[in-house]
Amino acid sequence: MRSNDTERERYAARKRELAQQTWQRVQDYADAKTEVIRTIVDEPRQADDGDQLPTL
């Protein structure tokens, strides 16, 4: 994320959104960030998979 401005802002926006909530446990906050992190990490892989030609 450090090298991609769009991903970094997307993550920061989610963190700001989550920071507005009250959390009973810090781990709940960390878990809530997991979805956006997984999406950011998985997107390049999905794009790469789409570029491959089908095997015969």
Side-chain angles (χ1 to χ4, degrees):
M1 281 187 273
R2 290 180 184 166
S3 64
N4 186 307
D5 293 340
T6 302
E7 290 175 353
R8 187 173 50 252
E9 178 52 36
R10 187 167 154 194
Y11 177 64
R14 181 64 176 148
K15 285 179 60 170
R16 286 190 296 270
E17 180 183 308
L18 294 171
Q20 299 300 312
Q21 300 179 31
T22 302
W23 301 95
Q24 291 183 355
R25 299 178 319 145
V26 173
Q27 187 60 47
D28 294 335
Y29 166 76
D31 291 343
K33 295 186 301 180
T34 300
E35 180 182 342
V36 74
I37 293 169
R38 283 190 179 150
T39 301
I40 291 168
V41 169
D42 289 346
E43 281 178 347
R45 291 183 195 152
Q46 291 172 355
D48 289 343
D49 291 345
D51 293 340
Q52 296 176 1
L53 296 174
T55 55
L56 300 175

